[in-house]
Amino acid sequence: MTDSTTAKRIVITGASSGIGAATAVAFAERGARLMLAARGQDGLEAIADRCRAAGGEAVVRVVDVTDAGAVARLATEAREQLGGIDVWFSNVGVGVVGRYEDVPIAEHAQVIATNLVGHMNDAHAVLPIFLAQDYGIFINMISVGGFVATPYAAAYSASKFGLRGFSEALRGELSKRPHIHVCDVYPTFVDTPGIDHAANYTGAALSLPPGSLAPATVAKAVVRLADHPRNTTAIGAPALALKVSQFLVPNLAAAMMNGFMDSWSGKAAPGEDGSGTLFDPPAAPSGIEGGRRHPQRRRKAATAAGVGAAVGLAVVGGLLWRRR
């Protein structure tokens, strides 16, 4: 088993932009040996160059995670080329925004195929390797959408709720293998190019709320899991509050979000509808940042989030007291 002083052998899917790219660079800064996979060759090469400049080793492979055979070949090649796999970061994610009935069903299906089945393909490919080694860390990028349903993104919600259940089931199966870990990561909004890649059927230009996280913030948490694995890591919101609110008032947050989306779509700048990069990779490298954060507003947003969490916990406490 490797330790924190040994160059880790890392596979990252969805590594050509956003969180996956930021995490690749963060691991490279620690001297990791990386195999980076995504659909876009140019984007992968750009990130691999950054990884090499940061002090790591990086090779790239063009892989669509919805193709189970391609993912299996990626795992086999990574094991042979790296001499084993210490961490597999399953990071691919896509989305389509719009009322459920306005979005073509093929696009809903593609979100499920990518965000849920793609992660299942990753796990199916690497788990036999982990079992043979008797160690390994599988990190699942889920998002806060795995706890809080997202109106205007029904397929995305279905994929993330399903992915959370999938991870919990895997942990149950692996409970007698203490050196094999399945780690879930739940960030809130993150400023990545993903918003530019998303399919959009709202008629409005997509945007992010103030206080969105930097991809590097999420990457830092993922890198920490390589040394200190844990089941659940929430970033930008308290994990306990997410779990308790989902149990006690599962529809409240969704109803509030629906009201916000109705209001937003009526006021936002006009945008063109289309399938984004659901079916094809971006035409050019996208990089790590989305360029939509407002750092000067982050503290205000963080304060508001803290107040909101406190109010939510107070409501939960009151409900528990009344039940008692």
Side-chain angles (χ1 to χ4, degrees):
M1 183 182 303
T2 61
D3 58 36
S4 59
T5 63
T6 305
K8 285 186 166 56
R9 302 160 298 183
I10 315 288
V11 177
I12 302 177
T13 56
S16 62
S17 67
I19 294 171
T23 304
V25 173
F27 272 124
E29 291 171 345
R30 294 160 58 103
R33 302 171 60 203
L34 296 154
M35 182 165 284
L36 308 179
R39 295 178 302 167
Q41 179 81 35
D42 292 343
L44 283 170
E45 293 290 359
I47 298 304
D49 287 343
R50 294 183 62 168
C51 290
R52 296 176 192 120
E57 300 177 20
V59 295
V60 304
R61 295 292 182 268
V62 175
V63 175
D64 184 336
V65 297
T66 64
D67 182 341
V71 178
R73 291 190 291 274
L74 172 69
T76 298
E77 186 174 4
R79 179 186 58 191
E80 294 173 351
Q81 185 157 333
L82 302 177
I85 302 172
D86 301 309
V87 177
W88 185 295
F89 181 28
S90 186
N91 174 68
V92 174
V94 297
V96 55
V97 184
R99 287 199 168 278
Y100 182 72
E101 67 274 15
D102 294 337
V103 175
I105 193 63
E107 303 200 10
H108 288 309
Q110 182 68 7
V111 171
I112 299 296
T114 303
N115 292 2
L116 178 56
V117 179
H119 289 246
M120 295 173 71
N121 288 340
D122 281 3
H124 198 267
V126 76
L127 274 181
I129 296 172
F130 285 171
L131 290 167
Q133 297 173 165
D134 196 32
Y135 71 89
I137 300 172
F138 185 78
I139 302 175
N140 245 336
M141 176 54 62
I142 300 183
S143 97
V144 72
F147 284 105
V148 181
T150 311
Y152 280 69
Y156 181 87
S157 290
S159 69
K160 297 300 184 177
F161 271 68
L163 189 53
R164 177 162 63 91
F166 172 66
S167 277
E168 291 179 3
L170 280 188
R171 277 193 291 272
E173 293 187 18
L174 295 167
S175 59
K176 296 181 180 179
R177 295 286 193 134
H179 303 302
I180 300 176
H181 304 274
V182 177
C183 306
D184 298 338
V185 181
Y186 297 93
T188 54
F189 291 102
V190 185
D191 182 25
T192 74
I195 194 168
D196 298 310
H197 299 166
N200 181 12
Y201 291 89
T202 65
L206 300 180
S207 59
L208 285 173
S212 297
L213 301 169
T217 300
V218 185
K220 183 178 179 180
V222 174
V223 169
R224 189 181 305 119
L225 290 172
D227 291 326
H228 307 287
R230 53 186 297 182
N231 292 349
T232 301
T233 299
I235 309 166
L240 178 60
L242 292 173
K243 292 179 179 180
V244 173
S245 65
Q246 172 60 22
F247 176 72
L248 291 175
V249 284
N251 295 318
L252 177 61
M256 292 173 64
M257 179 65 76
N258 186 61
F260 167 79
M261 292 297 292
D262 284 342
S263 175
W264 165 81
S265 62
K267 298 176 181 178
E272 293 186 7
D273 289 353
S275 58
T277 64
L278 269 183
F279 300 101
D280 298 295
S286 306
I288 293 175
E289 294 269 358
R292 287 181 170 84
R293 281 187 307 135
H294 302 282
Q296 70 276 14
R297 294 155 67 184
R298 288 178 66 193
R299 180 172 296 181
K300 181 178 179 181
T303 300
V307 171
V311 171
L313 289 173
V315 171
V316 168
L319 290 170
L320 290 174
W321 181 83
R322 289 185 64 186
R323 180 172 293 181
R324 182 179 178 184

